[in-house]
Amino acid sequence: QVQLVESGGGSVQAGGSLRLSCAAFGYTVSTYCMAWFRQAPGKEREGVATIYTGGENTYYADSVKGRFTVSQDNAKNTLYLQMNSLEPEDTAMYYCAADYKRFPCEHSLVAGGFRIYDYWGQGTQVTVSS
């Protein structure tokens, strides 16, 4: 049974940083695609960053490119999202997602990309104040 457990969310001021973690149980993080999504109140869940083939390939939404970094630690079986230069617009619930299906991981970032994934964490709240 796959279980994903996020942590690391919190409240910060604009310009601050947070690092989110997603510990995976029953799933090996280097299997194929994993991704971070976020969802703000009243908005659709959107892809933020995705990683695959053991971390060799990463993709980012334009809104976070240059500020966020996705990575994985195979020894700890954990996915990370380092978020720097946070903006109030980054305020949302953040989720990690995983799947066994083979697909172009960058499809995670298109509208509705969240529908690809079968496994989700419970989410961790990120709040950025101005």
Side-chain angles (χ1 to χ4, degrees):
Q1 182 176 354
V2 175
Q3 186 178 12
L4 305 174
V5 181
E6 300 104 332
S7 61
S11 297
V12 297
Q13 290 192 324
S17 298
L18 285 172
R19 189 176 81 153
L20 306 184
S21 299
C22 173
F25 303 92
Y27 183 92
T28 301
V29 296
S30 59
T31 295
Y32 199 60
C33 297
M34 290 192 74
W36 286 97
F37 288 81
R38 67 186 181 187
Q39 188 166 19
K43 294 189 175 182
E44 186 174 89
R45 192 167 296 191
E46 64 173 354
V48 174
T50 185
I51 185 170
Y52 79 117
T53 62
E56 293 180 4
N57 296 279
T58 57
Y59 298 90
Y60 299 91
D62 288 343
S63 58
V64 306
K65 204 171 293 183
R67 301 187 298 122
F68 290 11
T69 303
V70 60
S71 62
Q72 61 191 61
D73 185 328
N74 293 339
K76 295 183 178 180
N77 210 36
T78 299
L79 182 72
Y80 299 100
L81 185 68
Q82 177 67 44
M83 305 186 296
N84 298 328
S85 302
L86 282 161
E87 303 169 352
E89 292 74 22
D90 296 317
T91 295
M93 185 73 79
Y94 283 71
Y95 301 88
C96 69
D99 203 274
Y100 286 112
K101 297 188 293 291
R102 298 275 170 150
F103 55 91
C105 294
E106 55 267 40
H107 287 190
S108 308
L109 305 180
V110 303
F114 66 91
R115 296 186 177 92
I116 300 173
Y117 287 87
D118 287 338
Y119 303 106
W120 293 87
Q122 81 287 353
T124 186
Q125 178 68 37
V126 171
T127 303
V128 184
S129 58
S130 58

